[in-house]
């Protein structure tokens, strides 16, 4: 119910069901990490339940939009909601980048003796701070054998994501001008570029585990590498799924020149993911 200046959403079962599904997935994930394979079925059921709830919930939102039930205030609500969601994602990645910077700027020099020379020299007298950390101070932890050159696969993936932002912008401009075929073709190109990025990162992960010794157990370098690139890769997968859904809606004629916020929201998300990757390429691979 909307009065032009405020919006009161209708009652819905989807938020409660989404919370239950997410709780089941997290309980299964926790059980999997602590007790092994016993938690896998619960985690899978929870994940499938989340996907089902999202599909049905978005179906209802699309139906309401197509039925003309949303006014200007509802449009503003969607825009503010998407804006705050992206802000939360900024804070999410800021925490991981902050971890990386803290380790490199403070923790490693401290371990090398800076600021606490007596303690550091007593614990690890032969430790020398360097990044990437190939030889962790604890002898029980095996560091990576080698690190990735930023000018091979990481550079290719960077060019792919930057290009995908360009193709998505062209698709968006085509939609705003009423050229539906242009929007569809360039959006399809964006989806294909996203799939290429995911495939290349999968190959990179295989190389990391098989030939480079970069694993989650390979000291702080391995942990931060997979946390940052892994969560970003997950966001690329989610963004690609969103773009595929938007492509299907463009194909069905759901958007007009003046009414296409679903497309805009997907574009905001994708451009954010691209910007995060540029930060990853700079601080994880290059420096």
């Amino acid at each position: 119910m909307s009065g032009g200046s405020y919006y009161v959403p209708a009652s819905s079962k989807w938020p409660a069901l989404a919370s239950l599904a997410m709780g089941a997935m997290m309980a299964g994930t926790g059980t999997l990490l602590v007790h092994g394979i016993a938690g896998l079925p619960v985690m899978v059921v929870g994940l499938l339940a989340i996907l089902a709830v999202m599909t049905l919930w978005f179906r209802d939102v699309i139906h309401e939009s197509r039925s003309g039930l949303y006014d200007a205030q509802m449009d503003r609500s969607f825009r503010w909601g998407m804006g705050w969601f992206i802000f939360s994602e900024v804070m999410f990645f800021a925490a991981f980048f902050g971890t990386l910077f803290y380790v490199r700027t403070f923790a490693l020099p401290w371990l090398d003796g800076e600021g606490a020379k007596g303690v550091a020299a007593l614990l690890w007298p032969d430790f020398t701070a360097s990044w990437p950390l190939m030889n962790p101070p604890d002898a029980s932890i095996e560091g990576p054998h080698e690190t990735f050159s930023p000018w091979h696969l990481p550079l290719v993936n960077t060019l792919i994501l930057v290009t995908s932002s360009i193709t998505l912008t062209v698709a968006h401009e085509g939609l705003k001008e009423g050229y539906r075929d242009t929007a569809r073709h360039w959006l399809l190109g964006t989806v294909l570029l996203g799939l290429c990025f995911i495939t290349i990162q999968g190959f990179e992960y295989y190389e990391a585990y098989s030939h480079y010794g970069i694993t989650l157990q390979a000291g702080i370098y391995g942990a931060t590498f997979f946390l940052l690139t892994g969560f970003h890769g997950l966001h690329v997968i989610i963004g690609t799924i969103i773009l595929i859904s938007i492509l299907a809606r463009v194909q069905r004629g759901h958007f007009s020149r003046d009414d296409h916020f679903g497309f805009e929201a997907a574009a905001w998300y994708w451009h954010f993911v691209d910007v995060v990757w540029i930060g990853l390429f700079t601080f994880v691979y290059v420096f």
Side-chain angles (χ1 to χ4, degrees), residues 148-276:
F148 284 105
S149 168
W151 313 117
H152 296 149
L153 292 182
L155 178 60
V156 172
N157 263 350
T158 301
L159 296 175
I160 286 174
L161 277 191
V162 171
T163 304
S164 73
S165 271
I166 296 173
T167 58
L168 183 58
T169 300
V170 174
H172 190 193
E173 292 300 318
L175 185 61
K176 289 194 293 185
E177 294 297 327
Y179 301 126
R180 192 172 301 278
D181 287 342
T182 299
R184 183 172 63 251
H185 295 154
W186 286 90
L187 183 56
L188 175 60
T190 307
V191 169
L192 294 176
L193 289 171
L195 293 174
C196 288
F197 178 94
I198 295 167
T199 301
I200 291 174
Q201 190 168 54
F203 179 74
E204 182 184 60
Y205 275 14
Y206 170 77
E207 290 289 309
Y209 264 81
S210 301
H211 303 112
Y212 288 81
I214 305 175
T215 68
L216 279 169
Q217 292 76 36
I220 189 65
Y221 177 77
T224 54
F225 175 85
F226 281 107
L227 279 174
L228 283 160
T229 61
F231 273 117
H232 177 268
L234 178 62
H235 281 71
V236 174
I237 293 173
I238 294 172
T240 303
I241 294 173
I242 293 173
L243 291 179
I244 291 172
S245 302
I246 295 298
L247 178 61
R249 294 191 63 190
V250 171
Q251 183 70 29
R252 295 183 180 185
H254 283 191
F255 300 118
S256 66
R257 297 175 61 176
D258 302 317
D259 183 14
H260 55 266
F261 178 67
F263 192 110
E264 283 189 73
W268 292 359
Y269 184 86
W270 191 258
H271 292 317
F272 162 75
V273 169
D274 289 357
V275 170
V276 171

Side-chain angles (χ1 to χ4, degrees), residues 1-283:
M1 182 172 62
S2 177
S5 59
Y6 63 91
Y7 175 75
V8 180
S11 60
S12 173
K13 58 183 176 294
W14 300 127
L17 293 177
S19 298
L20 292 173
M22 186 172 294
M25 186 185 72
M26 296 309 298
T29 302
T31 304
L32 178 66
L33 293 174
V34 177
H35 301 291
I37 197 67
L40 183 61
V42 178
M43 185 189 74
V44 171
V45 169
L47 176 61
L48 293 176
I50 289 175
L51 295 175
V53 169
M54 290 176 62
T55 300
L56 296 173
W57 196 349
F58 293 164
R59 179 205 62 185
D60 288 353
V61 172
I62 293 171
H63 175 72
E64 292 169 358
S65 177
R66 298 286 294 162
S67 300
L69 300 179
Y70 296 153
D71 61 6
Q73 174 59 25
M74 189 61 193
D75 181 72
R76 287 191 291 270
S77 297
F78 277 128
R79 292 177 184 276
W80 274 101
M82 190 64 189
W84 282 113
F85 169 71
I86 291 178
F87 177 77
S88 72
E89 294 280 30
V90 171
M91 294 296 100
F92 177 82
F93 279 102
F96 290 115
F97 276 108
T99 300
L100 179 65
F101 294 150
Y102 179 83
V103 168
R104 295 179 60 172
T105 306
F106 297 105
L108 283 179
W110 289 343
L111 290 177
D112 196 20
E114 181 180 312
K117 294 182 179 180
V119 176
L122 177 64
L123 294 177
W124 303 292
D126 298 326
F127 175 71
T128 301
S130 64
W131 192 266
L133 186 59
M134 308 295 285
N135 298 301
D138 190 336
S140 64
I141 300 175
E142 183 178 354
H145 313 314
E146 189 179 354
T147 57
F148 284 105
S149 168
W151 313 117
H152 296 149
L153 292 182
L155 178 60
V156 172
N157 263 350
T158 301
L159 296 175
I160 286 174
L161 277 191
V162 171
T163 304
S164 73
S165 271
I166 296 173
T167 58
L168 183 58
T169 300
V170 174
H172 190 193
E173 292 300 318
L175 185 61
K176 289 194 293 185
E177 294 297 327
Y179 301 126
R180 192 172 301 278
D181 287 342
T182 299
R184 183 172 63 251
H185 295 154
W186 286 90
L187 183 56
L188 175 60
T190 307
V191 169
L192 294 176
L193 289 171
L195 293 174
C196 288
F197 178 94
I198 295 167
T199 301
I200 291 174
Q201 190 168 54
F203 179 74
E204 182 184 60
Y205 275 14
Y206 170 77
E207 290 289 309
Y209 264 81
S210 301
H211 303 112
Y212 288 81
I214 305 175
T215 68
L216 279 169
Q217 292 76 36
I220 189 65
Y221 177 77
T224 54
F225 175 85
F226 281 107
L227 279 174
L228 283 160
T229 61
F231 273 117
H232 177 268
L234 178 62
H235 281 71
V236 174
I237 293 173
I238 294 172
T240 303
I241 294 173
I242 293 173
L243 291 179
I244 291 172
S245 302
I246 295 298
L247 178 61
R249 294 191 63 190
V250 171
Q251 183 70 29
R252 295 183 180 185
H254 283 191
F255 300 118
S256 66
R257 297 175 61 176
D258 302 317
D259 183 14
H260 55 266
F261 178 67
F263 192 110
E264 283 189 73
W268 292 359
Y269 184 86
W270 191 258
H271 292 317
F272 162 75
V273 169
D274 289 357
V275 170
V276 171
W277 176 258
I278 292 174
L280 287 175
F281 177 72
T282 302
F283 296 109

